[in-house]
Amino acid sequence: MSPRTPSDQARPPRERAVARHGWVPALVTVAGALLAMAVVAALGLWAAGAADLPGGAFAPVVAATVVTAVGGTVRLAGNAGDLAGTRAELTVIPLSVTLTGALVVARGFLRPLRHRAVAGAAELAGWAGRIAALWLLALIGVTLAARHTFAVSLGDDALGELGDLFGASPRVGFTADVPLSVFVGLVWLAGVLVLALLVSRRAPLPGGLLRFQASVRPAAYAMVALLLASVGIGGVIALIVAATRGHAAETFAVILLGLPNLVWPALTIGLGATWNGRVEGPFGLPMPHVLDEVLRTPDLSELNLRTLSEHDGRVWWLLVVDVVLLLAAAFVMAARSPARVRAWQHAVHMAVALALTVFMICLVGRVSAHYGLSVLGIGDLGGGLAGELFLRPRLWGAVGLAVPWGLLTGFAGALLARHVRRRGQVRADGPDGPDGRNGRV
């Protein structure tokens, strides 16, 4: 330990605490989060083949990926000459990049607050405000960089000749909506910081909020652990598939860009939820072949345990994995809760937390994409250029199914954790313990 200077000794303890999380740690947190997100996005896009995009589009595409990862909006635009038109739409959140940024931000935000029981609301707001101010500047820079336009080749066949004849060689570009993206990015940051305070047991809370930590913090921690565990299991499965079946580059692209986009909807499907979707044209979902088979139909398709099991009976393992993960999450929640919390209260806490988690998955897991080219009013000429893809959940059905699952597993987890020593629990041989000391643990 370095010796304290006289100025440090004269400074009140509260001021010294605030000084530990000033502008330099805030800059490190913001820069570290953006760098980590950019590296993950760049590696994922490189594995997906985006490094070969024409006109130096790779760096702007990386910036656009980071923008969409924090909820920002990137608008696509096309131009195919005076006699032709293009239409392009894309709505997807690269959740692997999102998760990376959230973990780095949460780590940087919580690090200066360790080993403290209580912190004032003004102190927490000031620390969060420093991060938010630098995050705002960084978001503006990233969104301004997320714009590019490049040509799309029609090939050497008749379609390409038709495009050259009518001057309809399409150009597709994208640009980030700066005001909307910055606003949503700030909301995303606020959500990450609040969730970090809720999840961390050692992070201090203002005195007025301490009464909520017994019910909120264990449930929030259990849900974050559930989501991270599902991503971990999905990552192991993806690596095994890459090692045994090939397509390593495509698999690593999925892992680095959209692994939670697969495993989190799969988590809800294991609970009995249904997602609707359709795949048409050159588009494809970065998911196992069985899902593409179910969705690639002329009509709207249903994605659930029943429809998937008709193509591959192993899908029922999703139900088994969900049961194990939910029981583990409920056990962790009960083990981290004070001893005074009863089993039925654990069940209610688990039901509410799981319903909110499924609601979040349904909001961020939606995918929508369309691209089409028309010449002289003839829409979507095809030739491998036009296509549509979308995947959306039956929201309230999924949330409704989460409630009984949460009640059942929450109650079971409380029973499993009843022999685990928890805060506020008194030893069986007396309030002072077997050696005469305080029995609280």
Side-chain angles (χ1 to χ4, degrees):
M1 295 179 61
S2 59
R4 292 184 180 180
T5 64
S7 59
D8 289 336
Q9 295 174 354
R11 187 181 301 171
R14 179 178 175 83
E15 293 183 9
R16 289 200 302 269
V18 175
R20 286 203 305 269
H21 40 79
W23 287 104
V24 173
L27 179 61
V28 172
T29 298
V30 172
L34 283 178
L35 179 61
M37 295 173 75
V39 168
V40 171
L43 291 175
L45 291 168
W46 174 79
D52 298 328
L53 289 173
F58 184 71
V61 169
V62 172
T65 304
V66 173
V67 170
T68 56
V70 297
T73 300
V74 175
R75 305 187 186 280
L76 302 181
N79 182 8
D82 297 333
L83 302 178
T86 60
R87 184 167 70 92
E89 299 174 1
L90 176 63
T91 302
V92 64
I93 300 176
L95 291 177
S96 292
V97 182
T98 304
L99 183 60
T100 300
L103 292 176
V104 175
V105 168
R107 172 73 175 175
F109 176 67
L110 294 175
R111 183 176 177 81
L113 302 176
R114 296 174 302 171
H115 312 303
R116 307 252 322 265
V118 181
E123 178 186 350
L124 291 177
W127 172 222
R130 291 180 178 90
I131 295 177
L134 296 175
W135 184 254
L136 171 64
L137 297 176
L139 277 180
I140 293 175
V142 173
T143 52
L144 290 176
R147 58 183 63 202
H148 193 77
T149 301
F150 51 88
V152 178
S153 174
L154 296 176
D156 298 327
D157 55 8
L159 182 61
E161 294 178 359
L162 184 63
D164 294 336
L165 176 63
F166 290 105
S169 298
R171 297 183 63 84
V172 176
F174 60 88
T175 180
D177 187 328
V178 177
L180 181 59
S181 297
V182 169
F183 173 76
V184 177
L186 288 174
V187 173
W188 176 86
L189 176 67
V192 171
L193 299 184
V194 170
L195 185 60
L197 282 177
L198 294 179
V199 170
S200 175
R201 176 183 286 180
R202 295 188 294 177
L205 289 175
L209 299 179
L210 291 176
R211 64 181 181 273
F212 298 110
Q213 67 178 351
S215 58
V216 175
R217 274 189 161 170
Y221 180 88
M223 291 300 101
V224 171
L226 173 66
L227 294 176
L228 293 179
S230 63
V231 171
I233 293 173
V236 171
I237 295 174
L239 291 175
I240 294 175
V241 170
T244 58
R245 299 185 181 180
H247 306 289
E250 293 84 350
T251 302
F252 279 105
V254 171
I255 293 174
L256 293 169
L257 292 176
L259 184 59
N261 297 75
L262 297 181
V263 297
W264 291 348
L267 181 68
T268 67
I269 290 174
L271 301 179
T274 297
W275 290 63
N276 293 328
R278 185 175 179 227
V279 177
E280 178 188 21
F283 291 122
L285 289 172
M287 56 175 54
H289 182 65
V290 60
L291 304 186
D292 190 74
E293 286 183 346
V294 174
L295 293 174
R296 198 173 288 278
T297 59
D299 302 320
L300 184 68
S301 300
E302 292 184 349
L303 201 64
N304 52 40
L305 286 174
R306 177 184 58 81
T307 58
L308 291 174
S309 63
E310 292 174 355
H311 293 76
D312 191 339
R314 293 174 297 179
V315 170
W316 287 104
W317 281 102
L318 286 176
L319 176 61
V320 177
V321 173
D322 274 15
V323 171
V324 174
L325 287 177
L326 290 179
L327 284 176
F331 174 83
V332 169
M333 183 189 73
R336 293 175 67 92
S337 299
R340 66 177 182 274
V341 181
R342 299 177 180 178
W344 69 267
Q345 293 174 308
H346 284 298
V348 173
H349 297 166
M350 183 72 179
V352 173
L354 186 59
L356 291 175
T357 301
V358 170
F359 181 79
M360 181 275 297
I361 292 173
C362 291
L363 290 183
V364 303
R366 300 167 181 259
V367 178
S368 176
H370 178 274
Y371 178 75
L373 170 68
S374 63
V375 178
L376 294 177
I378 304 174
D380 287 357
L381 293 178
L385 291 174
E388 182 182 21
L389 177 156
F390 69 88
L391 182 66
R392 55 175 178 258
R394 294 183 182 176
L395 177 60
W396 298 116
V399 174
L401 285 168
V403 173
W405 273 100
L407 290 172
L408 181 62
T409 56
F411 191 84
L415 296 181
L416 292 173
R418 60 185 175 180
H419 297 301
V420 177
R421 291 176 182 172
R422 289 173 279 167
R423 289 180 296 127
Q425 188 171 2
V426 179
R427 299 182 189 271
D429 45 1
D432 293 328
D435 54 1
R437 290 179 296 185
N438 193 314
R440 293 185 181 273
V441 293

